[in-house]
């Protein structure tokens, strides 16, 4: 059974974390991700499958599994708690406005005919009524989702990774992940190479490695251009939710 469960609402940032903890084969990782997307609507089946697929591990090893949708799935806290209440939880979060645009950009790449971001974001744009039933918006209500987890897990059992700092200071952010997991701090600045073309850090298997591994092309693609006024409206919308989230977590993610 997993002793760590990783969820991201940062659309995909968890992949970076997993890569840094356990350097899986990239192709395998992308296949697994597609598989996950298909299964998201069938959480029960998915969970049972995951459970039986868990590799056997030794006492000294950590089993880590990642699923983006856990954090925002109502039944997930209870199910994970009933399965293994000591599981440590890691959630990668990012500015919910950027997250929504990233989410939309990803969907648009698969379904080019969907309505505009602006159209999907509001029930009534003139009145500033944001459509919280749209998943891309709903997922960013982190404080709300967290409430469900705190009914089952103590705050100290959940670690939040800043998606922004994971890019600007991967070693520092991963240092905190290692501390949370009770691991010796193994990854240092020397394990990361900043790929200026991609604009993202890539991981070296060893400090001396000459071949850093970057995430796939679907990670870090250019976002769709959004009307700046809409961005401001969404920022305003998320502000109180973000503040509540910072207070609950005890950490300021500086999205304001
Ligand atoms: N090192 C590194 N390299 C590339 N990309 C990085 C990295 N670290 C974090 N990110 C951010 O990960 C985001 C993409 O993740 P996805 O949403 O596709 O992943 S997932 O499906 O939820 O796993 C992607 O979001 P977008 O920029 O919106 O594509 C990146 O910002």
């Amino acid at each position: 059974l997993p002793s760590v469960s990783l969820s991201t609402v940062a659309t995909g940032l968890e992949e970076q974390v997993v890569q840094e903890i356990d350097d899986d084969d990239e192709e395998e990782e992308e296949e697994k991700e597609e598989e996950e997307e298909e299964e998201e609507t069938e959480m029960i089946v998915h969970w049972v499958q995951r459970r039986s697929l868990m590799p056997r591990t030794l006492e000294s090893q950590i089993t880590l599994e990642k699923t983006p949708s856990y954090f925002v799935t109502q039944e997930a806290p209870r199910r994970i708690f009933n399965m293994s209440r000591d599981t440590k939880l890691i959630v990668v979060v990012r500015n919910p406005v950027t997250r929504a645009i990233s989410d939309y950009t990803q969907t648009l790449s698969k379904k080019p005919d969907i309505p505009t971001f602006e159209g999907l974001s509001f029930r009534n744009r003139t009145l500033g009524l944001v459509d919280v039933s749209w998943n891309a918006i709903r997922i960013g209500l982190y404080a709300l989702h967290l409430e469900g987890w705190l009914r089952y897990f103590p705050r100290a059992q959940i670690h939040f990774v800043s998606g922004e700092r994971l890019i600007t200071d991967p070693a520092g952010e991963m240092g905190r992940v290692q501390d949370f997991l009770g691991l010796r701090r193994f990854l240092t600045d020397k394990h990361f190479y900043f790929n200026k073309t991609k604009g993202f850090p890539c991981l070296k298997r060893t400090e001396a490695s000459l071949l850093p591994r970057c995430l796939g092309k679907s990670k870090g693609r250019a976002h769709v251009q959004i009307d700046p006024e809409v961005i401001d409206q969404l920022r305003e919308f998320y502000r109180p939710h973000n503040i509540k989230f910072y207070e609950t977590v005890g950490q300021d993610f500086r999205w304001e």
Side-chain angles (χ1 to χ4, degrees), residues 58-244:
L58 300 171
E59 277 289 310
S60 59
Q61 293 177 317
I62 293 178
T63 308
L64 191 146
E65 84 88 45
K66 67 146 185 146
T67 298
S69 56
Y70 283 167
F71 186 62
V72 299
T73 301
Q74 233 184 340
E75 309 77 45
R78 181 178 46 82
R79 290 200 184 134
I80 296 181
F81 179 85
N82 287 338
M83 181 201 68
S84 168
R85 67 186 55 189
D86 296 327
T87 298
K88 288 188 176 180
L89 306 161
I90 302 176
V91 189
V92 187
V93 286
R94 133 195 235 186
N95 184 330
V97 180
T98 326
R99 205 218 70 81
I101 301 171
S102 170
D103 195 329
Y104 177 78
T105 304
Q106 191 167 311
T107 310
L108 194 68
S109 73
K110 292 175 192 156
K111 298 181 195 154
D113 297 331
I114 55 169
T116 61
F117 179 88
E118 288 81 350
L120 290 165
S121 297
F122 296 95
R123 282 202 281 145
N124 184 327
R125 189 171 160 192
T126 324
L127 295 177
L129 270 183
V130 172
D131 190 349
V132 287
S133 70
W134 184 33
N135 250 347
I137 297 289
R138 190 187 67 91
I139 293 172
L141 300 170
Y142 305 144
L144 180 81
H145 305 302
L146 181 56
E147 269 176 32
W149 289 89
L150 292 176
R151 277 190 212 114
Y152 289 88
F153 295 94
R155 166 67 193 92
Q157 211 168 311
I158 313 176
H159 179 72
F160 291 89
V161 173
S162 154
E164 287 81 11
R165 281 199 308 258
L166 192 58
I167 296 166
T168 56
D169 177 23
E173 208 51 29
M174 288 309 295
R176 284 182 278 277
V177 171
Q178 289 163 98
D179 293 347
F180 173 69
L181 296 178
L183 298 171
R184 173 175 64 85
R185 280 201 177 203
F186 166 77
L187 292 167
T188 66
D189 276 328
K190 296 200 179 82
H191 285 93
F192 296 93
Y193 159 82
F194 192 80
N195 182 325
K196 288 205 187 98
T197 321
K198 250 184 108 55
F200 291 101
C202 303
L203 181 72
K204 294 182 188 175
R205 199 178 274 269
T206 63
E207 284 184 25
S209 165
L210 295 173
L211 270 181
R213 225 201 94 185
C214 304
L215 295 188
K217 348 186 237 312
S218 67
K219 313 289 170 195
R221 59 188 141 205
H223 285 178
V224 174
Q225 285 294 313
I226 305 297
D227 180 349
E229 209 179 282
V230 168
I231 295 185
D232 280 347
Q233 280 177 290
L234 290 180
R235 259 196 215 131
E236 281 302 312
F237 163 76
Y238 277 118
R239 180 167 292 128
H241 297 279
N242 289 345
I243 291 170
K244 187 166 177 215

